[in-house]
C-alpha cells in the first residue's frame, strides 16, 4: 500500500488561509504535534494535502479520460494506455490505476491528523483577536478529515470491492498485513462515518464567525458534501454489482439518502443552474452564484493552466497558435443518445430526425457537450469545424477525431493554446452536483416500487418527477406517461448518460449495473464526406471492444499482493 509512518516527515500543502478560496500548494515539514501546535496554518496546510489526493479526471491517462474506456469517447492518439481497458492488456501487473496508492496515501494522512493533531489548543495565540474564529475552523478540520477518509474508501470500494479498512495511524509494516474487509463492511463504514459527522461539520464556509471565507467556498467539504457522499455510496451499495440478491431495503435506504440531499439543498435555496455549460467551465464554477447553487462540492485545481484544452482542442485549427491534440472525441453512441427537442428518441416514429441533417432540433445539451461538423468552436478557430474526411479538422490528419466529433464539456473555449494570445484558465472537477441526486433518487425509488410513476410511504416525488426536474433544465419535455418498467429504466439510463456525460460516472455506472456487454462493446462513429456544397453522414462501427465480466472490478496491483502476503486478488484476475 506504500503506507508510511508520516509522523516523522510529510509533504503537505500550504495553509488554507482564512479568507482565501484557493488551495495554494507549498512544502512543509511536519515533525510532531509540538510543531503543529506552533501555528494554526500548519494544521490547515495539512488538511489541504488531504484534499489534494481527491480524484479528478482531466486526462489522467496521458490526456485520455476514463470516458475513452467507455462508450462516451475515443481517444484520438493510438497506443494510449487507456486502450488496455479493452484490448486485453489489463491485468494485475498492468493495473491501470494509481488510485490504490493515492487513496491509501490520503487515508494515512487522515488517520495521522485524527490520531495526532486534533485537540490542540494553540496557546501562543490565545490573546490574538482572531483566536476564537481560528479555533472554530481548526476544530472543524477533524470532521473534514473524517469525510475525506470516507470518500477515499468510496473510491476504493467502487473500484476494487472489499479493501483493507485502516482507521488509525499505522506503520507500513502494520498496514501491509491488514486483510481485505468485505465490500459490505466498507459501505457500512462510509455510512456510519457520514452519519456521525453530518451534524457536526460546518454547513457554510461563508459563515465562520468573524473568519468568513469569501466568496463562499465549494472547494471544501461541508455537511452537504457529507450527505452527498452518503447518498452516492448508498446507491452503489444497492446496485447489482454489490447487491446480487437485489435487497429492496438497500434500494429504499438509497432512495431516502438521496431524498435527504435534495431536501437539504432545497432548504438551503439551492437549485439547478440555468447555465448547464457554466457548471463545467472553471472560471464560472469557481465562484458564480448560479453554478454554486447546484455544485455541492468541486475539486479545485490548484493552478490555472491550459493542459485540458491543449489535449482536447481540435487538430488543424485555423487561428494562429491555436492548435489542439484532438483528445477525447465523443462517440456516435453518445450523440445518438440525445433526443430530439420534442422528447422523442431519434429512432422513434414522429421524431422528425433527419439523418442528413443530424444535429438539428436536438436536446440542447448535445450542442453544449459535443463539437460537431460546422460548429464555430472554439473561439480561436477562425472557420467552422471541418470534421469531414479531408477537412481541416478531420481524417486523415494525424490525431484528428476518429468519431467525427470533438469535446466541448469542461473545455474552456476562450483559451488560446499558443502564440502571443496564449492564456490559461481555472479548472474545477465537479464531484457532487444537485442534478445527480435527482437521478440517483429516481433510480433507487424505481427499484423499490418497480414503477416509474409511483411512490410509497415516506416519498412524495415519483421517479418520473425527479427525472423531469433534470429534463426541464435542459428544455426537454416530460417523460411520456405509462411507460412499462423496462422502457422506463432504459429512458432513465439514457437520461443519466447525456446529463452526466464526461463527469466520471459512465465508467462506473455501467459496471455497477453489470450491463457492460450492452453498452461497452460496440463503439460507433460518424463518417462525414463532402458532397458538393453539402455532406453525407454515414454512421459506422468504429471499434469492437473486448469485455470480460472480471472487469467489473479492477485487479489489485500485483505489487500490493506481493508486498502484503495476506491480500487476495479479485475474481478472474
Amino acid at each position: 500500500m506504500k503506507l508510511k509512518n508520516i509522523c516523522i516527515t510529510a509533504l503537505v500543502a500550504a495553509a488554507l488561509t482564512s479568507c482565501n478560496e484557493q488551495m495554494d500548494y507549498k512544502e512543509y515539514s511536519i515533525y510532531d504535534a509540538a510543531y503543529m501546535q506552533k501555528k494554526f496554518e500548519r494544521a490547515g496546510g495539512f488538511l489541504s494535502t488531504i484534499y489534494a489526493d481527491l480524484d479528478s479526471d482531466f486526462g489522467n491517462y496521458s490526456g485520455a479520460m476514463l470516458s475513452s474506456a467507455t462508450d462516451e469517447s475515443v481517444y484520438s492518439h493510438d497506443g494510449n494506455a487507456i486502450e488496455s481497458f479493452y484490448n486485453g492488456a489489463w491485468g494485475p501487473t498492468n493495473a491501470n490505476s494509481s488510485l490504490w496508492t493515492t487513496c491509501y496515501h490520503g487515508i494515512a494522512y487522515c488517520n495521522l491528523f485524527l490520531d495526532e493533531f486534533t485537540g490542540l489548543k494553540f496557546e501562543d495565540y490565545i490573546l490574538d483577536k482572531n483566536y476564537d474564529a481560528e479555533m472554530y475552523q481548526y476544530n472543524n478540520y477533524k470532521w473534514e478529515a473524517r469525510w475525506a477518509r470516507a470518500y477515499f474508501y468510496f473510491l476504493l470500494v467502487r473500484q476494487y470491492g472489499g479493501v483493507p479498512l485502516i482507521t488509525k495511524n499505522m506503520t507500513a509494516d502494520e498496514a501491509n498485513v491488514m486483510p481485505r474487509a468485505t465490500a459490505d463492511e466498507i459501505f457500512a463504514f462510509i455510512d456510519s462515518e457520514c452519519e456521525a459527522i453530518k451534524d457536526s461539520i460546518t454547513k457554510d464556509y461563508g459563515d465562520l464567525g468573524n473568519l468568513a471565507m469569501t466568496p463562499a467556498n465549494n472547494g471544501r467539504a461541508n455537511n452537504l458534501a457529507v450527505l452527498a457522499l452518503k447518498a452516492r455510496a448508498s446507491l452503489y451499495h444497492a446496485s447489482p454489482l454489490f447487491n446480487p440478491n437485489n435487497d429492496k431495503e438497500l434500494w429504499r435506504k438509497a432512495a431516502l439518502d438521496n431524498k435527504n440531499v435534495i431536501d437539504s439543498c432545497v432548504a438551503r435555496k439551492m437549485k439547478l443552474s440555468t447555465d448547464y455549460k457554466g457548471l463545467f467551465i472553471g472560471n464560472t464554477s469557481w465562484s458564480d452564484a448560479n453554478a454554486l447553487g447546484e455544485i455541492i462540492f468541486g475539486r479545485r485545481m490548484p493552478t490555472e493552466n491550459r493542459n485540458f484544452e491543449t489535449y482536447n482542442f481540435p487538430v488543424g485549427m485555423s487561428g494562429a497558435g491555436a492548435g489542439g491534440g484532438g483528445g477525447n472525441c465523443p462517440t456516435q453512441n453518445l450523440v445518438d443518445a440525445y433526443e430530439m427537442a420534442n422528447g422523442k428518441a431519434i429512432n422513434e416514429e414522429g421524431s422528425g430526425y433527419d439523418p442528413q441533417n443530424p444535429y438539428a432540433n436536438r436536446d440542447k445539451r448535445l450542442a453544449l457537450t459535443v463539437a460537431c461538423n460546422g460548429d464555430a468552436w472554439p473561439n480561436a478557430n477562425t472557420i467552422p469545424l471541418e470534421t469531414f474526411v479531408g477537412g481541416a479538422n478531420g481524417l486523415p490528419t494525424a490525431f484528428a477525431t476518429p468519431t467525427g466529433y470533438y469535446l466541448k464539456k469542461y473545455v474552456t473555449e476562450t483559451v488560446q493554446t499558443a502564440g502571443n494570445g496564449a492564456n490559461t484558465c481555472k479548472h474545477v472537477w465537479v464531484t457532487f452536483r444537485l442534478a445527480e441526486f435527482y437521478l440517483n433518487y429516481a433510480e433507487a425509488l424505481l427499484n423499490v416500487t418497480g414503477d416509474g410513476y409511483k411512490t410509497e410511504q415516506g416519498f412524495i416525488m415519483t421517479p418520473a418527477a425527479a427525472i423531469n426536474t433534470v429534463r426541464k433544465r435542459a428544455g426537454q419535455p416530460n417523460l411520456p406517461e405509462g411507460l412499462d418498467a423496462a422502457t422506463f429504466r432504459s429512458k432513465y439510463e439514457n437520461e443519466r448518460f447525456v446529463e452526466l456525460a464526461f463527469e466520471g460516472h459512465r465508467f462506473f455506472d455501467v459496471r455497477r449495473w453489470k450491463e457492460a456487454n450492452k453498452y461497452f462493446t460496440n463503439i460507433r462513429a460518424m463518417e462525414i464526406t463532402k458532397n458538393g456544397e453539402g455532406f453525407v453522414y454515414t454512421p459506422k462501427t468504429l471499434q469492437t471492444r473486448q469485455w470480460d465480466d472480471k472487469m467489473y472490478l479492477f485487479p489489485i496491483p500485483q505489487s500490493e499482493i506481493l508486498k502484503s502476503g495476506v491480500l487476495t486478488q479479485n475474481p478472474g484476475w
Side-chain angles (χ1 to χ4, degrees):
M1 296 174 203
K2 299 184 180 178
L3 295 172
K4 303 175 182 177
N5 186 344
I6 51 180
C7 287
I8 306 300
T9 302
L11 177 66
V12 299
L16 291 171
T17 56
S18 61
C19 59
N20 186 0
E21 78 273 18
Q22 299 190 50
M23 294 182 180
D24 182 24
Y25 301 109
K26 299 177 182 176
E27 293 183 17
Y28 279 89
S29 292
I30 300 299
Y31 297 100
D32 53 29
Y35 179 85
M36 294 283 283
Q37 175 89 359
K38 294 294 183 183
K39 293 184 178 181
F40 283 106
E41 59 262 29
R42 289 173 181 167
F46 199 93
L47 256 291
S48 64
T49 201
I50 293 171
Y51 279 101
D53 281 332
L54 299 180
D55 63 319
S56 63
D57 188 8
F58 288 110
N60 291 342
Y61 292 85
S62 300
M65 305 168 73
L66 270 183
S67 63
S68 290
T70 77
D71 54 349
E72 285 181 311
S73 64
V74 175
Y75 198 60
S76 66
H77 296 242
D78 289 339
N80 186 275
I82 201 71
E83 296 173 9
S84 60
F85 280 108
Y86 55 81
N87 68 6
W90 194 14
T93 58
N94 181 32
N96 256 355
S97 178
S98 61
L99 186 135
W100 181 283
T101 299
T102 300
C103 284
Y104 276 112
H105 177 270
I107 289 165
Y109 270 70
C110 291
N111 288 336
L112 174 60
F113 185 87
L114 292 167
D115 288 355
E116 304 289 339
F117 302 140
T118 57
L120 303 180
K121 299 301 182 185
F122 300 97
E123 293 175 352
D124 290 347
Y125 289 81
I126 287 177
L127 298 179
D128 189 287
K129 66 178 182 179
N130 290 324
Y131 178 78
D132 289 344
E134 294 275 11
M135 286 301 295
Y136 182 102
Q137 184 173 349
Y138 164 73
N139 287 327
N140 190 65
Y141 288 158
K142 62 180 175 289
W143 311 120
E144 293 181 67
R146 288 179 69 174
W147 172 85
R149 182 175 63 181
Y151 184 77
F152 290 131
Y153 275 115
F154 169 73
L155 297 179
L156 287 165
V157 73
R158 77 171 180 179
Q159 188 154 304
Y160 298 104
V163 294
L165 180 58
I166 300 169
T167 59
K168 64 180 182 179
N169 189 36
M170 290 183 174
T171 66
D173 289 342
E174 290 172 328
N176 285 330
V177 295
M178 291 290 291
R180 297 176 70 173
T182 66
D184 286 342
E185 289 169 334
I186 300 297
F187 281 117
F189 172 77
I190 296 167
D191 190 71
S192 64
E193 281 292 276
C194 291
E195 186 65 24
I197 66 180
K198 65 182 176 63
D199 295 324
S200 299
I201 195 169
T202 293
K203 290 186 176 182
D204 183 3
Y205 287 100
D207 184 17
L208 296 178
N210 62 353
L211 191 64
M213 291 185 178
T214 53
N217 192 334
N218 74 336
R220 298 176 63 185
N222 62 11
N223 78 314
L224 289 179
V226 175
L227 296 178
L229 173 58
K230 188 175 191 288
R232 186 189 286 176
S234 290
L235 183 75
Y236 271 71
H237 194 196
S239 298
L241 181 61
F242 299 107
N243 182 20
N245 296 323
N246 196 28
D247 183 345
K248 296 292 186 184
E249 289 308 308
L250 290 179
W251 285 114
R252 183 173 284 103
K253 181 182 184 305
L256 286 169
D257 286 345
N258 281 278
K259 175 181 180 294
N260 195 19
V261 174
I262 296 167
D263 291 346
S264 298
C265 287
V266 170
R268 207 167 299 184
K269 302 189 184 306
M270 295 178 67
K271 59 184 179 180
L272 300 189
S273 171
T274 58
D275 179 14
Y276 180 82
K277 173 184 173 182
L279 290 169
F280 312 103
I281 302 302
N283 291 343
T284 302
S285 58
W286 195 280
S287 58
D288 178 73
N290 198 8
L292 294 180
E294 177 168 350
I295 297 173
I296 295 170
F297 178 81
R299 166 76 165 89
R300 297 179 174 191
M301 300 297 104
T303 58
E304 291 194 15
N305 63 68
R306 54 177 172 270
N307 297 339
F308 191 67
E309 287 68 29
T310 300
Y311 285 141
N312 291 288
F313 272 170
V315 299
M317 288 168 58
S318 55
N328 300 276
C329 300
T331 62
Q332 192 62 40
N333 307 55
L334 176 62
V335 171
D336 284 350
Y338 290 90
E339 297 172 343
M340 302 298 290
N342 61 14
K344 293 182 178 291
I346 62 171
N347 58 356
E348 273 189 80
E349 185 177 352
S351 71
Y353 177 69
D354 179 356
Q356 295 307 314
N357 189 16
Y359 316 122
N361 302 316
R362 301 289 291 274
D363 179 336
K364 68 181 181 182
R365 288 172 292 189
L366 173 59
L368 298 175
T369 304
V370 179
C372 302
N373 185 54
D375 283 358
W377 189 89
N379 291 8
N381 195 28
T382 57
I383 63 173
L385 286 176
E386 298 180 351
T387 65
F388 56 86
V389 176
N393 317 107
L395 295 171
T397 302
F399 311 130
T401 171
T403 66
Y405 307 104
Y406 288 102
L407 177 63
K408 284 184 179 178
K409 195 167 180 177
Y410 272 120
V411 181
T412 302
E413 63 190 337
T414 56
V415 164
Q416 183 169 316
T417 59
N420 293 335
N423 59 344
T424 58
C425 64
K426 295 176 180 177
H427 295 88
V428 178
W429 183 255
V430 179
T431 306
F432 298 123
R433 64 182 177 95
L434 180 54
E436 175 198 340
F437 297 93
Y438 280 106
L439 296 175
N440 291 356
Y441 170 87
E443 179 181 343
L445 189 56
L446 175 64
N447 280 279
V448 173
T449 65
D451 189 322
Y453 308 95
K454 289 185 178 179
T455 63
E456 63 170 39
Q457 186 174 0
F459 303 99
I460 297 174
M461 182 168 50
T462 66
I467 296 169
N468 289 338
T469 300
V470 176
R471 290 171 63 85
K472 182 178 180 181
R473 189 257 303 277
Q476 290 298 100
N478 289 345
L479 291 174
E481 294 289 335
L483 298 175
D484 62 72
T487 304
F488 190 94
R489 185 178 304 276
S490 179
K491 285 283 190 181
Y492 163 77
E493 291 183 2
N494 193 79
E495 188 67 27
R496 193 173 180 94
F497 190 18
V498 300
E499 173 68 22
L500 303 178
F502 298 101
E503 296 179 49
H505 291 277
R506 185 68 172 175
F507 185 93
F508 294 103
D509 278 345
V510 171
R511 282 172 162 77
R512 65 181 178 83
W513 295 331
K514 299 191 74 172
E515 293 184 337
N517 276 327
K518 176 180 176 181
Y519 289 120
F520 283 177
T521 55
N522 182 39
I523 307 303
R524 292 178 291 113
M526 180 69 84
E527 184 177 74
I528 308 168
T529 54
K530 195 164 178 55
N531 181 23
E533 295 301 312
F535 302 96
V536 176
Y537 292 87
T538 308
K540 67 174 186 177
T541 295
L542 181 67
Q543 296 173 349
T544 302
R545 293 179 174 177
Q546 298 181 30
W547 179 261
D548 188 306
D549 283 353
K550 69 182 181 182
M551 296 190 292
Y552 281 123
L553 293 173
F554 276 49
I556 294 175
Q558 188 66 20
S559 59
E560 302 298 334
I561 299 284
L562 295 173
K563 187 187 306 176
S564 167
V566 298
L567 283 179
T568 55
Q569 185 56 269
N570 274 327
W573 293 107

